[in-house]
Amino acid sequence: MRGKCFLFVLLLGLAATIGTTQPAEGAGFALYEGSARGNALGGAVVGRADDPSAVYYNPAGITQLPGLQILAGATAIMPSTTVVRDDGTYHAQGHVWVPPHFYATYQFSDKLWFGLGAFSPYGLGVEFDSNWPGRANNIKTIITSVNMNPTIAWKMTDQLSVALGLDIMYFNLDMKKTVLAYPLRVDTELKGDSVGYGGNIALHYRPTDWLSAGVSYRSQVTQNLKGDAKFNPNFAVFTDSSVNGSITLPDEICFGVAVKPAPQWSVEAGFIWTRWSTYKDLTMEFGNALGTVSSPKNWHDTMRYNLGVEYKATDWLDLRAGYVFDEEPIPDSTADYIVPADDRHNFSVGPGFHFGPWNVDISYTYIYITDRDASTSLAPGVAGTHSRFVNGDAHLVGASVGYKF
């Protein structure tokens, strides 16, 4: 009976996640909104890893979860940014993106656990007016993704656990810009998608009741996109055609150490290292006379530092707060209007409520994006202008609901 219930909640949660995955802004175009509790703690839950969202943060931690448990929710992200050029000030169009998440964990024995997650590891949503002067670089770029992550965790000893998982990632890209302005304006929209595969491995170590640590590694995922290019109007070499491209999404290492200085308090500090240097260029192969078109990116590796504090106020209420410093991977030489941003400071808070087998987590995060001078950029449509990215920020509201069977 419990096995049938487990299968039902898996199918229900995965269907909901696939059906509603949408993009949002992140450093580069990564997303870190794995759960509302994780959001409130600034993602500092790699060492704790003590609820079903551990499938996302550190799957080795699911060996702390007895029986069958599920967790599902979403984060509403409301970003804003402004581009200042020599010819005026331009605001990105306002949107609300809502990437969801779903996790289920099941204990097979005293040594073996299974977990499954569905979440959005990458996303981007930036759109400007179709007639703005920077349209040769970008009018609209939307990236969506959903990652299916089955994982097996093994409790090697009472203190040490290890996990191994598979990443099955769907990736979708939609880009629109102006490719020719004279003698006739020609706009193009590229749409393509792909499914790529990777893996992850994790460790969780809990030597005492007051100290725990975790490390998790996710591999690169290569996406070989196939789709269509539409040109408006069709003109000379700019004719509708197929389009193919390849992008290698970065591998990353997450690390965290959690301590409990008192029974009611828990503090964790950690980092995420992301190898964005895998993103060297964006190359598209058109099926028309355009042939191969490539633009350099040359992104660099980044660090994301986090700190999270949780206080158990009562048996039914937890209070949480977190801080993140997130480095931007884009160098000055290729800064563009696709990701008009710089380093980020994240400030987050949120409560957690416990009602019998139910858990409800709420989070609010404010992201302050530092201003950036992109005047030295060599990116097409940006080079030769005095461009600045200013007043960038985002408001994030997350909610997750969990149940222990």
Side-chain angles (χ1 to χ4, degrees):
M1 181 66 183
R2 175 171 285 188
K4 291 181 180 179
C5 182
F6 180 56
L7 179 61
F8 174 75
V9 298
L10 286 185
L11 294 175
L12 182 65
L14 292 176
T17 304
I18 295 172
T20 57
T21 299
Q22 297 182 42
E25 286 190 343
F29 50 87
L31 297 178
Y32 301 98
E33 286 67 48
S35 69
R37 182 188 180 213
N39 297 350
L41 291 168
V45 286
V46 178
R48 307 175 212 258
D50 52 3
D51 70 23
S53 69
V55 175
Y56 173 84
Y57 295 103
N58 178 3
I62 68 175
T63 60
Q64 302 178 93
L65 309 178
L68 168 62
Q69 301 189 27
I70 60 172
L71 181 75
T75 302
I77 307 180
M78 295 151 277
S80 175
T81 192
T82 299
V83 174
V84 178
R85 292 167 41 107
D86 299 327
D87 49 24
T89 299
Y90 306 92
H91 305 281
Q93 295 183 9
H95 292 284
V96 178
W97 312 111
V98 190
H101 52 265
F102 170 80
Y103 310 100
T105 64
Y106 183 73
Q107 180 181 6
F108 282 108
S109 68
D110 292 340
K111 294 291 185 180
L112 188 64
W113 276 255
F114 174 77
L116 182 64
F119 47 87
S120 301
Y122 299 99
L124 178 69
V126 178
E127 185 173 2
F128 294 91
D129 183 87
S130 61
N131 293 313
W132 87 296
R135 60 186 178 272
N137 181 263
N138 182 43
I139 295 175
K140 176 183 71 173
T141 300
I142 295 178
I143 292 172
T144 60
S145 70
V146 61
N147 188 44
M148 302 297 181
N149 183 199
T151 186
I152 293 291
W154 178 41
K155 181 181 284 189
M156 301 178 66
T157 70
D158 289 341
Q159 293 78 36
L160 180 64
S161 297
V162 62
L164 185 67
L166 174 67
D167 290 312
I168 307 168
M169 189 188 305
Y170 172 77
F171 189 86
N172 183 283
L173 175 64
D174 182 357
M175 300 182 69
K176 183 177 182 180
K177 67 178 183 178
T178 298
V179 294
L180 183 69
Y182 182 84
L184 177 69
R185 174 178 170 177
V186 179
D187 292 337
T188 184
E189 185 165 12
L190 313 178
K191 292 183 178 181
D193 59 7
S194 171
V195 176
Y197 302 91
N200 63 289
I201 187 170
L203 294 171
H204 186 264
Y205 183 56
R206 189 182 184 92
T208 70
D209 291 338
W210 59 269
L211 175 66
S212 60
V215 60
S216 177
Y217 170 79
R218 288 190 184 274
S219 72
Q220 299 177 12
V221 176
T222 298
Q223 299 285 358
N224 297 308
L225 296 125
K226 299 182 183 296
D228 300 296
K230 302 293 185 181
F231 294 87
N232 183 30
N234 279 249
F235 174 74
V237 298
F238 303 107
T239 56
D240 294 349
S241 72
S242 62
V243 62
N244 299 323
S246 179
I247 181 173
T248 299
L249 301 171
D251 48 343
E252 66 179 23
I253 296 175
C254 306
F255 176 79
V257 176
V259 297
K260 290 186 174 181
Q264 295 84 11
W265 290 93
S266 176
V267 181
E268 178 171 328
F271 65 82
I272 300 175
W273 172 82
T274 305
R275 187 155 60 152
W276 279 114
S277 55
T278 60
Y279 190 32
K280 299 183 182 301
D281 59 66
L282 180 61
T283 300
M284 295 292 181
E285 297 179 1
F286 293 86
N288 57 21
L290 281 175
T292 300
V293 177
S294 182
S295 58
K297 297 299 179 181
N298 298 319
W299 288 17
H300 52 72
D301 302 338
T302 61
M303 295 290 288
R304 176 183 171 95
Y305 304 96
N306 53 31
L307 175 68
V309 179
E310 185 172 57
Y311 174 66
K312 188 174 184 62
T314 69
D315 289 340
W316 58 270
L317 175 64
D318 296 331
L319 301 177
R320 302 159 183 151
Y323 168 75
V324 173
F325 176 68
D326 198 6
E327 297 177 343
E328 177 59 41
I330 305 175
D332 290 341
S333 60
T334 60
D336 58 25
Y337 306 139
I338 297 175
V339 188
D342 204 359
D343 296 341
R344 296 157 169 81
H345 298 270
N346 299 12
F347 306 90
S348 54
V349 294
F353 305 96
H354 310 282
F355 309 103
W358 292 94
N359 296 317
V360 178
D361 300 315
I362 306 295
S363 67
Y364 169 76
T365 304
Y366 175 71
I367 300 179
Y368 168 71
I369 305 174
T370 59
D371 293 348
R372 180 170 196 169
D373 190 328
S375 300
T376 60
S377 174
L378 302 177
V382 184
T385 68
H386 184 199
S387 294
R388 292 186 298 122
F389 309 150
V390 301
N391 300 329
D393 64 8
H395 301 271
L396 291 71
V397 178
S400 300
V401 178
Y403 187 82
K404 301 176 182 178
F405 289 87

